[in-house]
Amino acid sequence: MRQFKIEEPDRALADRLQNKIDNLTKPKGSLGRLEELALQVGLIQQTLTPRLTAPCNVVFAADHGIADEGVSLSPKEVTRQMISNFLSGGAGVNFLARQHGFSLQVVDAGVDFDFPPVEGLINRKIRKGTRNFLYEPAMTLEEMERAIEVGADVVTDCHRRGCNVISFGEMGIGNTSASSMWMTCLTGIPLHDCVGAGSGLDASGISHKERVLAEALQRYPGSSDVCEVMRYFGGYEMVMAVGGMLRAAELGMVVLVDGFIMTNCILAASKLYPAVLAYAVFGHQGDEAGHARVLRYLGAKPLLSLSLRLGEGTGAICAYPILASAVRMINEMNTFDNAQVTKYF
């Protein structure tokens, strides 16, 4: 599998960054999380004057064999239908991308449909959907390695266009089931606490979903090794996101983390390369049952809590203005000395 060189940002600059933040015209610490974010971005970029440039949201899309077991309220064809919606500009992520100046990349990672050549769709299809992990591994080792490689390459392309802050979204009916399996296997949190409503299951539907996943877990012959878990239960779009997150960290980019599924992707990425978390800004805590639990496991502090559960990168993009405010703070606020204001703390 592709190897990445990901290191914790050098903290030699931390004292100078903190001193600059502390000497802006405000009581020390009074801008709270903005100050923490400014320090984080300054360390990622190794500068006292960080910048956010050409923000991009990448939506990876793929189908899941487990969807055949009725674990989602939405039918499988919604995946391909939503691809068309993304490309026409009518999805939730589209208006947010327009509002906040994000470019949008849509990648066919493994949709069970033959798309004609269409402008705006990046064809990186591994296979027409994963296999049904109730009965067999979702993907082969070679497919998993290819998905990691593709995700990394997509991020490299974004970086070449000047992007230094990136978010990831997903589209794939059944992917909350795959995410629940990653979560329970990689954290040890009981499956019951990892399973939620997905796109809108009622109590009966959630119970059925949990029974199917419990049976799949019982049949799983593997271990808690992260690559084995990713391969056996994952979706191509999820593995591509893992590869994308790792490449973004390797390139020194800020990674805005979206909802339940993308949080489980950064969880998997961190099991491979723990330092990736230093580059992650968690956008929001959504309504999916396991999201708060996996965030706590990671020690993450999400910026927003808006009861979102759409995916696509929507929560990450919603949080972007807060990150942008933190960068504006450190660059645009005056210091006590420059403003000739008496330091009042």
Side-chain angles (χ1 to χ4, degrees):
M1 191 169 72
R2 178 172 179 157
Q3 299 298 301
F4 297 87
K5 185 178 180 182
I6 302 172
E7 299 175 350
E8 293 273 354
D10 187 350
R11 294 196 62 84
L13 195 63
D15 288 345
R16 292 177 63 197
L17 275 164
Q18 192 63 60
N19 184 65
K20 181 178 181 180
I21 293 166
D22 289 345
N23 281 284
L24 301 174
T25 49
K26 59 176 179 56
K28 184 177 180 180
S30 62
L31 282 176
R33 290 294 302 280
L34 296 186
E35 299 188 24
E36 296 175 18
L37 288 168
L39 177 64
Q40 181 183 3
V41 178
L43 287 174
I44 290 171
Q45 298 182 358
Q46 291 291 290
T47 179
L48 297 174
T49 55
R51 294 286 188 271
L52 301 176
T53 58
C56 181
N57 184 73
V58 181
V59 178
F60 295 108
D63 280 305
H64 291 248
I66 194 64
D68 293 339
E69 303 301 321
V71 294
S72 174
L73 183 67
S74 303
K76 186 185 290 186
E77 61 263 26
V78 169
T79 304
R80 64 172 172 81
Q81 292 167 351
M82 282 301 300
I83 294 289
S84 298
N85 198 20
F86 294 142
L87 297 177
S88 69
V93 71
N94 293 102
F95 81 81
L96 288 167
R98 289 191 292 267
Q99 180 181 0
H100 298 301
F102 274 65
S103 64
L104 183 64
Q105 305 290 314
V106 182
V107 181
D108 176 3
V111 181
D112 188 10
F113 185 74
D114 290 315
F115 291 100
V118 56
E119 184 178 356
L121 181 61
I122 302 170
N123 181 7
R124 296 293 185 271
K125 193 190 300 287
I126 304 291
R127 183 178 182 270
K128 287 186 177 180
T130 57
R131 299 158 187 86
N132 186 342
F133 64 66
L134 181 60
Y135 305 109
E136 60 182 320
M139 63 188 77
T140 66
L141 179 62
E142 293 75 18
E143 288 169 350
M144 184 193 74
E145 291 175 345
R146 177 62 182 148
I148 290 281
E149 192 79 28
V150 169
D153 289 346
V154 169
V155 169
T156 299
D157 289 343
C158 293
H159 186 259
R160 286 173 179 159
R161 291 191 292 270
C163 172
N164 72 0
V165 54
I166 193 163
S167 57
F168 300 95
E170 84 299 320
M171 182 63 226
I173 300 306
N175 57 17
T176 60
S177 293
S179 298
S180 296
M181 300 302 278
W182 281 17
M183 179 178 164
T184 191
C185 290
L186 298 178
T187 68
I189 296 171
L191 178 64
H192 175 77
D193 294 329
C194 303
V195 178
S199 60
L201 290 171
D202 59 16
S204 175
I206 295 171
S207 294
H208 170 73
K209 179 179 179 180
E210 185 177 344
R211 285 193 298 272
V212 170
L213 299 187
E215 184 177 347
L217 189 60
Q218 187 175 27
R219 293 181 178 186
Y220 174 50
S223 67
S224 59
D225 174 77
V226 61
C227 289
E228 184 64 10
V229 171
M230 287 169 57
R231 180 183 77 86
Y232 202 95
F233 297 113
Y236 298 123
E237 83 282 25
M238 295 166 61
V239 179
M240 284 189 188
V242 171
M245 290 170 174
L246 292 173
R247 179 59 174 152
E250 183 176 50
L251 290 168
M253 301 167 72
V254 178
V255 178
L256 271 168
V257 182
D258 190 44
F260 179 64
I261 295 158
M262 290 299 106
T263 301
N264 279 288
C265 290
I266 199 78
L267 166 69
S270 72
K271 295 293 184 180
L272 292 168
Y273 295 88
V276 72
L277 292 174
Y279 299 84
V281 174
F282 290 83
H284 77 107
Q285 178 180 309
D287 258 6
E288 185 66 11
H291 197 193
R293 294 182 178 93
V294 70
L295 287 167
R296 283 196 298 271
Y297 176 89
L298 290 166
K301 297 193 298 182
L303 295 176
L304 301 173
S305 180
L306 300 177
S307 300
L308 304 177
R309 54 181 178 86
L310 178 59
E312 304 175 5
T314 50
I317 300 176
C318 276
Y320 175 75
I322 299 174
L323 184 67
S325 292
V327 170
R328 283 183 174 272
M329 177 203 75
I330 197 171
N331 289 320
E332 297 180 17
M333 279 188 74
N334 220 335
T335 63
F336 285 104
D337 287 343
N338 288 342
Q340 298 184 326
V341 173
T342 300
K343 202 168 185 178
Y344 52 92
F345 62 88

